[in-house]
Structure formats: C-alpha cells, structure tokens
Amino acid sequence: MSARLGRRGAARRLATGAAVLAAAAGVLSTAIPAGADAKGAQGAGAERHRPARTVDVQLLSFNDLHGNLEPPQGSSGTVTEAQPDGTTKTIPAGGAEYLATALRQARKGHEYSVTAAGGDMIGASPLMSGLFHDEPTIEALNKLDLDVTSVGNHEFDEGRAELTRMQKGGCHPKEGCYEKGKTFRGADFPYLAANVTDEKTGKPVLKPYTVWRHKGVKVGFIGVTLEGTPDIVTAEGVKGLKFHDEVRTINKYAKELQRKGVKSIVALIHEGGLPASAAYNADCDNGGAGKGISGPVVDIAKNITPKVDALVTGHTHQAYACTIPDPSGTPRTVTSAASFGRLYTDTTLTYDRRTNDIVRTTVKGAHAANHVVDRDRPKAADMTSLIGRWNTLAAPIAGKPVGYVSADINGRGASTYETPLGDVITDAQLEALAPDDKGGAQIALMNPGGIRSDLAHKASGGEGDGVVTYGEAFTVQPFTNMMNVLDLTGAQLITALQQQVSGSNEASPKILQVSKGLTYTLDLTKSGKDRIVSDTVKLNGEPIDPAKTYRVAMNEFLAGGGDGFPAFKDGKNKLVGASDLEALTAYLGAHSSASTPLDPPKADRITIVK
C-alpha cells in the first residue's frame, strides 16, 4: 500500500456537511439497500447512528497529460462539444492552473474521493517540462493530489532508470539539480507497472497495484501499459524489460487483491479506444452498451474479470465514458479523458460496506461523465507560481524566435491523414539531409505520432502573433530524435508504405508524412496492403522502380522499425545526421521572416479514395 494513499484523510478531502453532488458527475444506478433513504441513511431511532450501508466513492481521473502544464496551443488546446440541436461547439481547454481548480472544485462535498490517471503523464512534453526531464510535471501532479497512475509507453522514453528517478526522486545523473539548494523529490503517488517485468528476474519493475483506504473503505488499483509498448518506444527505452498481456496481468492481480480482502478494484490501462463521435459528451452507448466505441480497449474490457469494477483508459487521446459488458454480461464503466488535461472524468462508485465491493447493476445509468477543463474558472495560484518558476529557468532557450507563420499550420490537431505540418517537417528533413555530405536523401518520411502539436499563429507569450519560438518548435518535436538516411530499394519502400495499413497497423492505420516529390494514392475502399495503390507511388512524377535504390531520411525511431514498420530495419548504409528538431528550426529560419512568413502547405501529396 502506498503510504501516501493511506494518509489522505483530514489534510485534503474531508469536506463537511455537503451532500454528494451526484448530478454533476452522473451516478451509477444502484439498488438502495432496504431501509435506506436516497442518502444511504438508515431508519429511525438508534438505526440512524449506524454507518450507511453504502457510500459513494468519487473517482476523478485523467490521462495522457504529456507534461502540458500550460494551455496547449492550437487545436491541441480545444475540445468538441455536441449541442442539443445537433451542431458542435469548440471550447478552449487545458492547462494545469485550470485542471487543479477543476479537480479541487469537483472534490468539494465528497468525503470519499480518489484521483487516478491512465498513464503518459510525462514524455513528449512541451519544452517547459521536457527541458527539465519532466520534473516540473511530477511536481505539479504532487500538488494536484494525484493518488495513483499507471505507466504509459511514454514513461519509458528515457528508460527504466529515469522512470525510477521520477518515482523515487534525486537529481538528474548528468545534468544535476536544476534549482540551487533543491533536490527533486520524486512522485508522492505510486506509478503502477503490473505488466512490465525485468527480463532477468521476472519481477515487476514498479509496484503492480496499490490500495486506497479511507474510513474502512478500500479500493484497489492495478496499473498496466499496452503490451505493444516496445513497438512504439525506442529500443534503449525498453532495454531489459518485458511487457505482458494486459488482460492476463490484470486478472492475475485482481485475484491477489481479492485474496487480501480487497473486493473493489479499478484497472488503470494505458490502452484505449476510438469513439464513434469526436464530441467529448457524445453518448458512447447509443444503440447499446459499448456500441459507440471500437479499438483495442473493447476486447480488453470484454475479457477482464468481473472482479474489476471500472476501467480508466488512455493512449488514444480520445474522450469517452462507455459501459462495455464484462465477461458475465454486466455493463462496466470504461472511460478516457482525451489528453493534455483538457478533460477530467468524474465517476461514482457505490461501495457496499457489507460486501466491501462496488455495487454494479445491469441498469444503464449516468454512471460517469467527462467534464471540460475550461479556462473560465479561476487559476490555481500554486500552479501559476510553479509554471512561472520553471518558465523563468527555461526562458533563455524557450523564447528565442526561430521562424514565422502566416496562419495555423496544423499537425496533431489535423483530422486528415496527411497534415500541413507533416509536410513542413518532412520537407525540413529532406532539405537538411539532401546534400551529399549529409546523406544524399531523396525522400523523407515522418511518423504521425511524432508530431505532438500544431504551429499556432496566435502568440503563446509575449513574442507576438505569427512568431514561432524555439519552445513552440520543441513542443512539436520534443523527442529530439536523431535523423538517419538509409538505402532502401523501391520494393522495400513500397512494402513500408503498405505497412502503414497492414500488419499491426491494419486496424488503426499510421500514415507516414511524406516530403515533396513523393506522391501516391491511398484507397480506403480496399483492405490491408491493397489500400496502397502501388503503381501510383511516384517520386517527382516518375514511378518508383522496385529494383532501384533510394536514399530515404527518417528519424532513428522509424529507422529501428518503430510504429510497426519492420521494412525500415532492412535499410543499408545508414548515416546519422542532425536531430529532427534541428532540421525543423533550420528550415523555419531559412524559409520565413517577419515580412514573408511561411504559409500552410496544401497537404495534397497523398490522394485519398473513400
């Protein structure tokens, strides 16, 4: 058990007198025990002094924060809200100053309240956190009173030793302490990694589960990341580690918790789904329990033991609050709060003191709901202070102008397979690596997941609209991956393009961004690798020759076969170049100025057939 979880009591959440604000969050429909009124109070006389048989435990959750302590830029800092008339509305959202206020407001009136997260709290972070190896984000999460989180794939970006430092504290082994007289204290909350074990010992690298306790109420939390983490993290990041099946792992530890007398269990799973609607408040169960969602989390949810009472998920950066039937056929809450702190989920778990379990019925109720972290609420002063302190340290680097844009250039926030920012990034990489002495690149390819934000026209600080700062460029490309140039035959190149829509990427295509000159047709009416119309793949208007050798630039993650592209591992004559971030900033500097800003590209290199 986490010592921190055990001492939640008086310091924080014992708000007095107020009735549970069930309507704000939505409450799991339950059968009220005989003799209890709507508040759970027992009958007259002496009975009134007995504890209520059931109490409502408030579960607040969020996921995929990725170090976004400041409000995210561009479309990454908005959510879509469905309106009663069928239209949608875009709402600015996110920022730790507002998230802290939202969570603190939500906890009021809830004596039994626990806050959990679904992984990727750190990694792929904006410069203000990433520059300091995400120490600012861990500090912020401590102040947010996070109780527990699972690890996500990005928690392994810098390897096991660095993740252990995030948990236990201590200054960075190479860069030391960032603030004079202060040693990084680590996370006050436990990071759970039930399905990540040491290759040699077979033991979990961090705690597999923890138990939250308050006044006799016990809720167990099991945390896992997706089994496919090694496919989407650099080899160095997962060195010496083994990742196991999510369902088998959760079922194993659910049994262990039950043996220890913990009957109420929540799984924190860094794997997710794809809802039918992009609106955060869409009815995910329209047409039946779980009918409005697809993706990996559906099969996971259907196979996790009924001993687990709720699933908090993540990874796909989508918003949903669904009920997916468990193996017994009983609906079970499955939620995700999008990403970047734009939403939080409020779920009510009705705890039966007699059985020590969560009451779950087959009646579909408004058991969980996502809420917008809008920016109309007051800022949390402690977060404002924290952000100001770290921004002061980062300012000499972060505020430097590196380019100019005439309008938003969308990347992460674009809804299309090919994005304007993807075109800018690949053109930047091609230009950096085309010279003979830099690799002689003819083509550049970029994985879409490596583009973490948009380049927004609106100023994020005092730099002025249209100015791109180093900090903003870093937010787009935070991994600082080194660029590689490889020899690939035309046949290998076409195979790689086919791997975008086949193999591990068939169910959820990963469409590579392509540099100027490379064109082809993506036919979505077909299936698997046939979606790539091979005879349309051309370079500068000439069909790709399967027997010819081409020099292809990509980041080191892709070159290692990451994101389901094993074809790239067969590349020959590898040359290592500058980092992806250096290529981007150099391109912005060369192709834009205050008087001639860079325009968004048309993003017309890939022809889509639907």
Side-chain angles (χ1 to χ4, degrees):
M1 170 187 143
S2 160
R4 185 171 186 268
L5 289 179
R7 62 170 189 266
R8 293 319 268 165
R12 167 175 137 208
R13 300 186 181 164
L14 304 189
T16 57
V20 174
L21 303 178
V27 180
L28 181 65
S29 295
T30 62
I32 302 295
D37 63 19
K39 294 181 182 178
Q42 300 295 322
E47 292 289 322
R48 287 183 181 172
H49 300 292
R50 293 182 183 176
R53 174 167 171 178
T54 64
V55 296
D56 285 338
V57 176
Q58 180 191 53
L59 172 62
L60 300 176
S61 58
F62 57 99
N63 50 277
D64 295 273
L65 181 64
H66 291 288
N68 279 265
L69 301 184
E70 296 180 286
Q73 278 208 294
S75 56
S76 296
T78 64
V79 294
T80 300
E81 182 178 77
Q83 303 298 299
D85 64 0
T87 61
T88 59
K89 178 182 178 183
T90 299
I91 303 173
E97 294 161 299
Y98 305 104
L99 178 61
T101 298
L103 293 176
R104 290 163 185 168
Q105 289 172 337
R107 290 173 188 141
K108 289 180 179 178
H110 295 269
E111 182 173 353
Y112 299 85
S113 183
V114 57
T115 304
D120 275 8
M121 295 295 97
I122 59 174
S125 303
L127 185 133
M128 194 204 79
S129 186
L131 188 63
F132 305 107
H133 298 274
D134 280 314
E135 290 182 20
T137 296
I138 298 296
E139 182 185 346
L141 293 171
N142 288 342
K143 291 179 182 294
L144 280 175
D145 287 323
L146 182 63
D147 286 302
V148 57
T149 184
S150 68
V151 293
N153 53 289
H154 282 284
E155 263 81 18
F156 294 93
D157 282 347
E158 295 189 47
R160 173 183 179 176
E162 181 64 1
L163 175 55
T164 301
R165 187 178 78 89
M166 292 292 102
Q167 178 71 84
K168 296 184 176 180
C171 295
H172 192 270
K174 291 182 180 177
E175 297 175 18
C177 300
Y178 295 114
E179 294 181 287
K180 190 175 181 180
K182 287 187 181 180
T183 299
F184 174 58
R185 78 183 201 198
D188 292 347
F189 51 89
Y191 258 115
L192 304 182
N195 67 329
V196 187
T197 60
D198 184 286
E199 278 185 350
K200 293 180 180 177
T201 67
K203 294 181 179 179
V205 297
L206 292 170
K207 293 170 64 168
Y209 60 80
T210 193
V211 180
W212 176 86
R213 290 177 166 90
H214 182 62
K215 289 190 175 180
V217 172
K218 296 182 292 185
V219 181
F221 289 87
I222 303 166
V224 299
T225 187
L226 71 158
E227 184 182 9
T229 291
D231 298 327
I232 53 176
V233 173
T234 60
E236 193 62 30
V238 295
K239 190 175 181 180
L241 302 177
K242 191 167 182 180
F243 292 76
H244 303 269
D245 180 80
E246 304 95 336
V247 172
R248 285 199 292 270
T249 301
I250 291 168
N251 289 350
K252 169 188 171 181
Y253 285 112
K255 283 183 182 177
E256 186 170 317
L257 280 166
Q258 293 249 320
R259 285 197 303 269
K260 292 183 175 182
V262 180
K263 304 289 184 63
S264 301
I265 302 171
V266 175
L268 308 175
I269 307 169
H270 192 69
E271 178 60 291
L274 302 167
S277 171
Y280 80 88
N281 59 335
D283 182 3
C284 196
D285 295 330
N286 191 17
K291 294 294 185 181
I293 188 170
S294 61
V297 79
V298 177
D299 283 340
I300 290 173
K302 287 180 177 177
N303 287 287
I304 287 174
T305 173
K307 293 181 176 72
V308 175
D309 299 297
L311 313 182
V312 173
T313 71
H315 187 57
T316 56
H317 290 207
Q318 302 298 306
Y320 46 86
C322 301
T323 54
I324 298 175
D326 68 18
S328 73
T330 306
R332 176 168 53 193
T333 303
V334 180
T335 65
S336 172
S339 61
F340 304 157
R342 294 174 291 163
L343 300 174
Y344 71 91
T345 312
D346 194 333
T347 304
T348 299
L349 303 172
T350 300
Y351 185 94
D352 189 326
R353 290 182 182 274
R354 189 174 298 174
T355 64
N356 295 323
D357 205 352
I358 301 299
V359 178
R360 286 203 288 135
T361 75
T362 56
V363 179
K364 178 183 177 294
H367 49 285
N370 279 318
H371 299 274
V372 182
V373 180
D374 60 59
R375 300 174 198 159
D376 295 331
R377 65 189 78 232
K379 295 180 180 181
D382 57 343
M383 291 297 163
T384 303
S385 175
L386 181 153
I387 290 168
R389 209 177 80 240
W390 287 103
N391 262 336
T392 298
L393 289 173
I397 297 172
K400 180 184 175 184
V402 295
Y404 302 83
V405 295
S406 63
D408 289 355
I409 302 182
N410 288 332
R412 191 74 178 183
S415 58
T416 51
Y417 280 131
E418 181 186 353
T419 70
L421 189 50
D423 286 3
V424 170
I425 288 170
T426 50
D427 287 354
Q429 294 174 352
L430 179 62
E431 185 167 294
L433 299 164
D436 290 341
D437 62 342
K438 302 293 184 183
Q442 299 163 277
I443 298 166
L445 302 171
M446 175 67 194
N447 55 308
I451 302 171
R452 305 304 301 184
S453 186
D454 305 330
L455 283 181
H457 183 264
K458 184 176 175 60
S460 59
E463 75 275 13
D465 290 349
V467 180
V468 179
T469 65
Y470 182 83
E472 290 165 346
F474 183 98
T475 299
V476 169
Q477 298 250 263
F479 300 111
T480 320
N481 277 315
M482 302 310 292
M483 293 301 302
N484 291 179
V485 187
L486 318 170
D487 277 354
L488 291 175
T489 65
Q492 289 173 322
L493 177 61
I494 290 172
T495 297
L497 293 177
Q498 291 172 337
Q499 287 170 353
Q500 299 175 110
V501 289
S502 63
S504 62
N505 292 329
E506 183 163 0
S508 182
K510 287 191 176 73
I511 304 303
L512 298 168
Q513 306 301 287
V514 299
S515 57
K516 61 184 178 183
L518 186 67
T519 56
Y520 69 93
T521 297
L522 177 66
D523 188 345
L524 297 177
T525 67
K526 297 180 179 178
S527 61
K529 64 182 183 181
D530 291 338
R531 294 174 184 171
I532 304 300
V533 185
S534 297
D535 59 7
T536 68
V537 183
K538 297 178 181 179
L539 179 60
N540 300 322
E542 293 292 322
I544 291 291
D545 183 344
K548 188 177 175 182
T549 296
Y550 298 85
R551 293 291 282 167
V552 184
M554 65 193 72
N555 62 48
E556 59 189 331
F557 170 67
L558 268 183
D563 267 355
F565 291 95
F568 293 138
K569 292 197 287 186
D570 297 327
K572 307 293 184 186
N573 299 321
K574 181 171 75 173
L575 182 143
V576 178
S579 74
D580 50 9
L581 180 58
E582 287 177 88
L584 176 61
T585 56
Y587 184 85
L588 291 170
H591 293 272
S592 68
S593 67
S595 58
T596 56
L598 184 68
D599 294 326
K602 293 179 181 178
D604 57 359
R605 298 164 188 178
I606 303 172
T607 301
I608 308 291
V609 177
K610 295 183 180 180

